[in-house]
Amino acid sequence: MTLGKMYEQQDCAMARALEEVGERWTLLVLRDCLLGARRFSDLRERLDIPRAMLASRLSMLVDAGILDKRPYAVGRYEYLPTDKGV
């Protein structure tokens, strides 16, 4: 059974944050970005997370404005926490 990620009955900052980062792996990806891991390969190595899952979580965090995706080489990106992410 999959747990829901909406907390309509809870009107607080924690509930709103969980709606954005409450899925499995998401907080761990954010944690490692806050601790200095910036590149996909670094995050994958540190977390031992499947590639597709990491790509999905990074995309979600970028779309939510929690991480900023910046190129560092042709076709390569790093992920930096935004003010919202911090």
Side-chain angles (χ1 to χ4, degrees):
M1 179 174 166
T2 304
L3 296 175
K5 65 174 233 167
M6 301 304 292
Y7 299 90
E8 295 95 0
Q9 302 300 318
Q10 304 293 320
D11 186 25
C12 70
M14 290 299 282
R16 287 189 300 276
L18 279 173
E19 287 178 353
E20 293 193 37
V21 298
E23 292 182 300
R24 183 178 175 147
W25 291 107
T26 307
L27 282 176
L28 298 176
V29 171
L30 180 57
R31 176 202 64 195
D32 280 12
C33 286
L34 289 167
L35 292 174
R38 300 286 188 251
R39 298 178 179 177
F40 188 94
S41 58
D42 296 334
L43 289 163
R44 186 152 187 273
E45 183 178 314
R46 288 172 72 149
L47 293 169
D48 193 28
I49 181 176
R51 295 178 70 80
M53 182 66 68
L54 178 56
S56 171
R57 293 306 183 256
L58 287 169
S59 179
M60 188 276 304
L61 288 165
V62 168
D63 290 346
I66 294 170
L67 293 179
D68 187 28
K69 180 179 177 181
R70 296 184 188 166
Y72 71 89
V74 177
R76 305 268 181 186
Y77 299 91
E78 61 183 5
Y79 299 87
L80 299 135
T82 63
D83 289 340
K84 182 178 179 180
V86 172

